[in-house]
Amino acid sequence: MPVVVACFKWVVDEAYIRRGAGGALDLSSVDYKIGEYDRNAIEEAVRLRDAGGGGSVGAPESAKGVKDGLSRGMDQAFFVSDPYFKDLEPSQTAAILAEVIRTRIPQYDLITCGEGSSDLYAQQVGPRIAELLGIPCVCFVQKVSLEGGKLVADRRVEDGIEVVEAPLPALVTVLPDINTPRIPGVKDTLMAGKKPVTTIKKEELAGSFEGTLKTEAMTASNLERTGEKLAADAAGIARFVDSLRKSGVIR
């Protein structure tokens, strides 16, 4: 019976982000949600649990996120909650989650992570967790199954699809097209409140979890388009080529 751990993150809902003066990001009225890619990680963990009759656990970063994750089919959650754990960068997030899994969930078969987070999208947390735990890691997975103590995964590569096998326990990062995340119903939400949740504080974990990166500023992206309508004749084509030459596109 497989035990599958899904790691997920409570992130800013980008629909509420506004552009402030000078291009600064206005986060004063934002709402939060489970990251889009992490929803696929949760769904795949639950799917594998249902297929094999095992259990699934989550490690989120928000109390509201705990209930949301549990309503999506998880059996229990480990809630990493501490004021110190704010605005974490990938190496910190991976170190914290690896320590939680190592000390709280010693017997597991598979860890699922999203391809990247919806906010930073660094694509580092999954591979870093696997490295810290000393287990195999398969990234960019669009299909996975557990068979006879090993995982079989289809992973997307530049030239097509690569089918790989790895011994369990292992970790996979999943692509959005691996599944369609379920939408929790009223019954699912009510049942989520009855599932076990273990809250974990910083002092309960070994390690300092110091960051290695410093964010100096964040600004909104700016896209400027300049367009010119040209006639479909020799003169228009000549102007088009001249414009490309002046902009340095061609020489």
Side-chain angles (χ1 to χ4, degrees), residues 204-221:
E204 300 177 57
L205 301 173
S208 60
F209 308 113
E210 295 295 333
T212 57
L213 299 177
K214 181 181 179 181
T215 301
E216 295 290 348
M218 293 181 64
T219 58
S221 60

Side-chain angles (χ1 to χ4, degrees), residues 99-146:
E99 180 65 15
V100 170
I101 293 170
R102 181 188 297 111
T103 58
R104 302 303 199 279
I105 322 167
Q107 300 298 321
Y108 61 89
D109 298 286
L110 183 68
I111 302 171
T112 62
C113 296
E115 174 189 3
S117 62
S118 294
D119 48 6
L120 298 179
Y121 195 65
Q123 298 179 302
Q124 294 185 26
V125 172
R128 282 177 177 272
I129 292 174
E131 175 68 20
L132 291 168
L133 295 176
I135 60 176
C137 177
V138 184
C139 296
F140 308 115
V141 171
Q142 63 179 35
K143 182 181 179 182
V144 62
S145 61
L146 305 181

